[in-house]
Amino acid sequence: MSLARARGRTASGPATLLLTRGDVAGLMDQPAWLEAVETGFRAAAEGKAQAPPPMTLPGRNGAFHAKGASLSLGRRYVALKLNGNFPDNPEARGLPTIQGAILLCDGETGVLLAIMDSIEITLRRTAAATALAARYLARPDSRTILVCGCGAQGRAQLEALRDMLPLARAFAWDCRPDRARAFARDMAMAGVSVEAVEDVAAALEADVIVTCTTARSPFLGPSQVRPGTFVAAVGADSPDKSEIEPALMASALVVADRLDQCAAMGDLHHALAAGMERRNVHAELADLVTGRKPGRTMQHQITLFDSTGTALQDVASAARIYERALGRAFPAIALGAAA
């Protein structure tokens, strides 16, 4: 295969753009991530996007998740993401927990348009979905936040929510206190004041709580959440993970990113097993985006967003990244060309 600089084509035909994590970060900003994710959910509600259930492939000390979706934005896009999720990587190997790639294809010709590193996309589109949910579910005057889980996703969540809400005070908690302290130091260097806390009791001071851990048993319950709080449950992206006590979910106004997916692998999965019924889920996020259902209707409501991460977010983000990249020069492969 030959490498060339191209704007979508090489001498031998359509080119496949190769986009690194740095390329992706350079092409997008917070408003662009939010707009892309909103586009994906809106398209799904309007019948312009489809996403089959994700597939999980076991690895050793981790797993691979495959998610695919199609999206019509005037042009038909199809994307497939394969992510490896290995929680021991940072400590044991100095590697990211999540690594992978997205293949973006033309849905009418089958042409492979781009191969993208998925780390930045997964981080930012996940955080953008929380920010989008906060637009409808958080109190507009929310000023305090607790981030549970002080990895890369915790930072992305805080950065996205700062753009959506007038946050003035932030707490950080992790099962390892040193991680919370390091998170606070890192965020301070980025201009965000964060206080590391020893336990989740700080939740009682928070208007917004984000859980983005790898917990296998719930740690946040009704007694730790005050009326009017918005909770974003982000960490449970497989059936064996759990952060939210079923009693908290049963007492909240619950919105799922995708109901079927959350019922199979999110915190909703565990609440249903404990006796909660699917009909008690208020809405999917797409319902709020299109106005088919309201978000928060009362100040004292506890609202909860169950976020498992959908391929709708991936394909919409990948399409936006690709369209922004077309006007610039990036490495491209002419697939099938002679060496």
Side-chain angles (χ1 to χ4, degrees), residues 132-329:
L132 182 62
R135 176 188 291 170
Y136 303 99
L137 297 175
R139 299 195 325 273
D141 61 348
S142 296
R143 296 183 61 81
T144 57
I145 182 172
L146 170 66
V147 177
C148 301
C150 295
Q153 185 56 241
R155 176 169 183 159
Q157 293 281 327
L158 181 53
E159 290 172 344
L161 285 165
R162 281 175 60 216
D163 277 10
M164 182 60 64
L165 299 168
L167 299 175
R169 191 177 184 191
F171 303 99
W173 172 82
D174 196 283
C175 61
R176 284 188 47 178
D178 59 315
R179 288 180 180 170
R181 291 191 292 270
F183 180 86
R185 289 194 300 270
D186 291 345
M187 294 306 295
M189 294 177 64
V192 184
S193 178
V194 178
E195 179 184 345
V197 295
E198 295 293 327
D199 57 50
V200 294
L204 285 171
E205 299 184 51
D207 301 315
V208 176
I209 303 170
V210 179
T211 61
C212 44
T213 74
T214 58
R216 261 61 180 178
S217 58
F219 57 83
L220 191 69
S223 64
Q224 298 155 305
V225 180
R226 65 183 180 183
T229 302
F230 166 57
V231 179
V234 177
D237 59 359
S238 63
D240 60 328
K241 293 182 181 180
S242 178
E243 300 177 308
I244 307 300
E245 290 182 11
L248 173 57
M249 182 162 283
S251 67
L253 182 83
V254 176
V255 172
D257 54 6
R258 296 281 279 182
L259 179 55
D260 288 344
Q261 187 166 302
C262 290
M265 57 191 287
D267 271 298
L268 178 62
H269 166 74
H270 302 286
L272 294 174
M276 181 176 169
E277 298 184 16
R278 284 173 64 114
R279 62 184 177 86
N280 295 131
V281 176
H282 172 65
E284 291 186 326
L285 183 53
D287 295 320
L288 307 190
V289 169
T290 57
R292 293 195 298 207
K293 291 188 178 181
R296 172 184 294 275
T297 57
M298 293 177 286
Q299 279 286 99
H300 69 274
Q301 282 176 326
I302 294 174
T303 57
L304 191 148
F305 175 51
D306 195 7
S307 173
T308 53
T310 77
L312 297 172
Q313 297 161 248
D314 295 322
V315 68
S317 297
R320 181 60 50 85
I321 292 162
Y322 176 74
E323 290 171 355
R324 288 189 165 205
L326 286 181
R328 309 185 194 180

Side-chain angles (χ1 to χ4, degrees), residues 16 19 81 87 309-310 330:
T16 302
L19 301 177
K81 182 175 77 175
T310 77
F330 283 98

